[in-house]
Amino acid sequence: MSRHVVLTGGASGIGAAALALFTAQGDRVTVIDRHDPGPMANAWIEADLSDLAALPALDPGPEIDVLVNAAGLPPRPGLETTILRVNTQALIALTEQLLPRLRPGGAIVNMASKAGGKWRQNLVQVQRFLTMDPKDDLAAFVRDERIDPVRAYDLSKEAVIVWGLSNLARFRDQGLRINAVSPAAVATPILDDFMTAFGERASKGVEITGRAGRPEEIAQVIRFLASPEASWVTGCNIECDGGLTAQLEFAALTATEG
Ligand code: NAI
């Protein structure tokens, strides 16, 4: 059965790979992106997701089966507030806006990241961020909390994971599933930004796994989580990173002292 998929960030990288997979299986895809996703999309809504005031005008059509929030910005100097807006606040605002249109049985898939993996340790700050009204002064928050571009990115993804978990029951009551996808390095146009911003943290990861992930490999996980075959999968954060997180966590747990 052809489903209606709304996909942010479908013009490039992981989102574009997801667009190709959804289209290949016969789904109708509405892409929300500031760039043209090309002819594979059934519809393109041109939007800058950093402009929260513009979101209410976005109209992807009546009923939605799947919402994939893939749009995101990497750590870049000076973009701290924009990263938090696009990666988290716009994702939340758009999801809440589209919620009444999501059919029971539907699925929400959010792009998080390995960079958001320390959400447990940073929960207090994550919750301070998540309880902000989008109209609050984000620049002041960034300044007061001394948030640099890397912390902005990490926080933005921690918050995506935490927001999904804190709404899991509410969405289940509406017949919806919500999951997050957390890759480490993926070979997309923003990989260089990650390698520059994260430095050794990123290069060591690629060294351990032998290569970066491919956008198609991440898109397959998105496709599965969005599919009826994943009907009993909700509230998960899938670390599709070639085993990097698992390997590092196990090594830390089993490290002997001395
Ligand atoms: P990409 O740069 O190839 O694609 C991002 C898409 O989001 C682009 O089509 C871009 O136009 C759109 N976008 C960005 N800002 C926007 C805005 N303000 N308004 C509307 N559209 C906007 O990046 P990639 O790598 O495909 O990233 C996709 C998601 O995966 C992002 O959320 C990213 O944080 C996440 N991710 C990426 C990793 C990587 O190594 N590439 C690793 C872990 C997570």
Side-chain angles (χ1 to χ4, degrees):
M1 193 187 76
S2 170
R3 302 169 310 163
H4 183 202
V5 177
V6 174
L7 166 67
T8 73
S12 175
I14 296 164
L19 170 61
L21 285 181
F22 285 125
T23 307
Q25 66 185 17
D27 292 328
R28 289 165 290 120
V29 186
T30 300
V31 170
I32 300 176
D33 202 300
R34 57 185 171 170
H35 295 126
D36 187 347
M40 241 189 295
N42 283 75
W44 169 38
I45 301 176
E46 186 177 359
D48 180 351
L49 292 169
S50 68
D51 182 4
L52 297 187
L55 296 191
L58 305 187
D59 182 4
E63 283 170 325
I64 302 167
D65 300 290
V66 172
L67 171 61
V68 179
N69 289 303
L73 289 169
R76 280 184 197 144
L79 282 195
E80 294 85 348
T81 56
T82 315
I83 289 165
L84 291 169
R85 274 216 201 291
V86 173
N87 295 10
T88 315
Q89 290 186 328
L91 179 152
I92 294 172
L94 187 71
T95 305
E96 293 288 359
Q97 181 182 320
L98 300 186
L99 214 50
R101 300 225 178 152
L102 274 155
R103 272 203 270 243
I108 301 162
V109 183
N110 293 327
M111 278 311 301
S113 170
K114 172 162 175 47
K118 292 211 163 76
W119 62 267
R120 291 173 185 82
Q121 294 93 314
N122 296 316
L123 196 52
V124 172
Q125 187 184 47
V126 171
Q127 283 177 329
R128 262 203 304 275
F129 172 46
L130 283 175
T131 50
M132 283 178 79
D133 187 296
K135 291 196 190 78
D136 289 348
D137 188 348
L138 197 51
F141 174 78
V142 163
R143 200 175 49 243
D144 295 348
E145 307 257 339
R146 297 167 198 263
I147 291 173
D148 65 13
V150 167
R151 182 66 204 132
Y153 185 78
D154 291 355
L155 174 59
S156 76
K157 297 302 188 180
E158 291 163 359
V160 166
I161 295 167
V162 170
W163 181 76
L165 290 173
S166 53
N167 286 284
L168 162 63
R170 174 165 72 108
F171 292 155
R172 189 174 46 214
D173 289 346
Q174 295 183 37
L176 302 172
R177 296 180 296 103
I178 180 160
N179 291 289
V181 179
S182 284
V186 185
T188 73
I190 58 175
L191 182 56
D192 283 349
D193 290 281
F194 289 118
M195 299 314 273
T196 305
F198 292 137
E200 206 187 326
R201 172 177 147 187
S203 55
K204 265 204 136 155
V206 175
E207 207 179 291
I208 289 170
T209 52
R211 64 172 172 86
R214 289 188 285 271
E216 299 74 21
E217 292 173 309
I218 314 306
Q220 287 288 3
V221 179
I222 296 174
R223 187 200 55 75
F224 170 68
L225 291 172
S227 74
E229 286 77 28
S231 55
W232 204 230
V233 183
T234 188
C236 291
N237 174 33
I238 308 287
E239 290 151 347
C240 50
D241 59 5
L244 178 62
T245 304
Q247 186 175 336
L248 293 177
E249 284 182 358
F250 190 68
L253 277 173
T254 53
T256 48
E257 282 179 33

